[in-house]
Amino acid sequence: MSDETIHSGDIRILQSERMTDNADGGGRLTGRPVTDGASNDIFDDISDLDRAAGRTSLRKVGAGVLTDNTAQYFGAHAIIDQVPADPNVSVVMFDTGSPSDERAESRDYVESYVTAGATSRMTLLGDQLAGQRSIITFQMPEATLPDLGDVLALMTEQGDAAGEVQYVRISEIDHEIRTFEYMNGSNVQTFERRVLTLGISTALRQRVYGVQPQPGTVNPDTVIREGQSTDAARYYGVSTLTQPATFGANSVTVA
């Protein structure tokens, strides 16, 4: 009589078609199981460059039952139950609901926790280049300053790069009032603007286009919009307790 039981060892984590961080990484699941306990069978090693500049790695895996019997499968769940040993590494898990999506689509899902909202009172001061870890903006002196942790959407709405969107989170703020000059007929006149240097948590992916300050309204190709939080995505991670948790408690304190 054959064994019609699904054992815990029959439930395996399966690799996707392309286990890479290329734009087409991911795809459909395969029958190739991830080797339990094997190093780098999902993610690559962390290089010295990654430690210096940071990196986000997205890899797609899924669960499957590798057995020949016809026992009923009641479902499974997955959790992250240990924090990484390296304090500079964090891990999060999410499910897009797509059986065939690739890395570029998954990245869009990750970024969908925030959408572009109202136009900010800030304007990019000149062009900002790919790879920068800060952006320079200007606004009216009386305008409210942004806060640390705010997310901005840099939306290129005109020109050859129209349609490009980059989301950046503010990690540092430095600002000062500067005086600018402009020609009014044959006369040189001045006006003031607050210039802000904003550190951002990730480098710019591509060039964004600003303008030089001038009196009145300016229309840069790239518009700064305020980030608006949404509930479009769900993420699952793990954190250690900073205080003991008691049975029946309604709240816990984590790192």
Side-chain angles (χ1 to χ4, degrees), residues 125-230:
L125 177 57
D127 293 354
Q128 319 281 307
L129 305 180
Q132 285 187 202
R133 296 299 294 259
S134 64
I135 58 175
I136 302 175
T137 69
F138 65 92
Q139 64 183 34
M140 298 296 290
E142 68 274 11
T144 303
L145 291 171
D147 292 324
L148 289 175
D150 282 355
V151 175
L152 304 175
L154 308 181
M155 303 187 66
T156 302
E157 300 181 352
Q158 304 179 71
D160 294 338
E164 294 285 353
V165 182
Q166 299 182 68
Y167 291 96
V168 297
R169 183 181 296 277
I170 299 174
S171 58
E172 298 178 46
I173 301 176
D174 188 23
H175 60 94
E176 62 179 348
I177 300 295
R178 291 187 192 175
T179 300
F180 296 90
E181 297 180 345
Y182 72 102
M183 294 298 298
N184 184 8
S186 58
N187 299 321
V188 176
Q189 297 189 353
T190 62
F191 63 97
E192 291 185 338
R193 293 292 184 266
R194 186 182 301 277
V195 175
L196 303 90
T197 301
L198 306 176
I200 53 178
S201 56
T202 55
L204 291 179
R205 294 198 303 266
Q206 63 262 343
R207 183 171 184 162
V208 289
Y209 304 91
V211 295
Q212 294 302 311
Q214 55 183 299
T217 302
V218 293
N219 295 297
D221 284 355
T222 301
V223 176
I224 302 176
R225 295 187 179 275
E226 297 173 352
Q228 179 175 319
S229 297
T230 70

